[in-house]
């Protein structure tokens, strides 16, 4: 996942919290509860997010409806994967990460690794 700017991240948060696809106006109304943005600004950012492959859009009644391509958790996991792949020594990166994990996170990782089917 590409690094998101502040407004891109805010728009993705709105889409991730949505229960159904949203029109530009609906995203704008949600964002403008805490700021004052122009319709064209939100439309441009949604178009950019679509071009980056982070949202899909479908034309309905002459208006695009936008949906996030993946969940927040899936996008975060993809970002972690890309960071791990770009870090050079994967083992060292993973060890540094594990050392920084809380006890609760470590317990969760141990349980998850026990459940994970092994590739052959």
């Amino acid at each position: 996942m590409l690094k998101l700017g502040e407004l891109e991240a805010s728009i993705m948060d709105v889409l991730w919290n949505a229960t159904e696809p949203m029109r530009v106006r609906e995203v704008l109304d949600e964002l403008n509860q805490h700021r004052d943005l122009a319709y064209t600004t939100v439309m441009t950012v949604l178009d950019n997010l679509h071009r980056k492959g982070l949202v899909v859009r479908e034309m309905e009644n002459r208006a695009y409806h936008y949906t996030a391509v993946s969940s927040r958790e899936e996008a975060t996991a993809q970002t972690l994967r890309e960071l791990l792949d770009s870090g050079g020594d994967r083992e060292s990166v993973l060890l540094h990460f594990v050392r920084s994990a809380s006890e609760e996170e470590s317990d969760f990782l141990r349980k998850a690794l026990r459940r994970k089917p092994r590739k052959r």
Side-chain angles (χ1 to χ4, degrees):
M1 180 170 152
L2 301 172
K3 182 169 172 49
L4 297 175
E6 180 187 346
L7 185 52
E8 288 176 321
S10 294
I11 289 174
M12 289 303 298
D13 282 338
V14 169
L15 293 175
W16 280 324
N17 290 327
T19 57
E20 56 189 39
M22 297 182 76
R23 293 178 291 126
V24 174
R25 174 64 59 195
E26 295 167 325
V27 174
L28 175 68
D29 289 347
E30 187 68 30
L31 292 169
N32 276 348
Q33 292 181 25
H34 306 288
R35 53 201 323 171
D36 187 26
L37 298 168
Y39 180 92
T40 54
T41 300
V42 174
M43 182 177 65
T44 299
V45 174
L46 279 164
D47 187 57
N48 290 341
L49 290 168
H50 177 260
R51 190 173 30 77
K52 291 178 179 181
L54 300 174
V55 302
V56 292
R57 63 185 180 195
E58 187 174 316
M59 183 66 77
E60 186 178 311
N61 298 326
R62 296 178 31 182
Y64 282 121
H65 288 69
Y66 292 86
T67 306
V69 168
S70 58
S71 70
R72 180 189 323 266
E73 295 77 14
E74 290 167 330
T76 302
Q78 180 61 36
T79 299
L80 288 171
R81 168 52 55 200
E82 290 171 8
L83 286 171
L84 181 60
D85 290 346
S86 69
D89 181 0
R90 286 183 182 177
E91 182 178 341
S92 180
V93 172
L94 279 171
L95 288 173
H96 283 286
F97 175 75
V98 169
R99 286 186 196 115
S100 73
S102 69
E103 190 60 39
E104 181 182 18
E105 292 165 337
S106 295
D107 288 343
F108 177 78
L109 284 171
R110 279 188 213 93
K111 290 174 187 173
L113 287 170
R114 283 193 294 267
R115 289 191 311 255
K116 179 182 176 188
R118 301 283 180 202
K119 292 181 181 180
R120 293 181 187 199

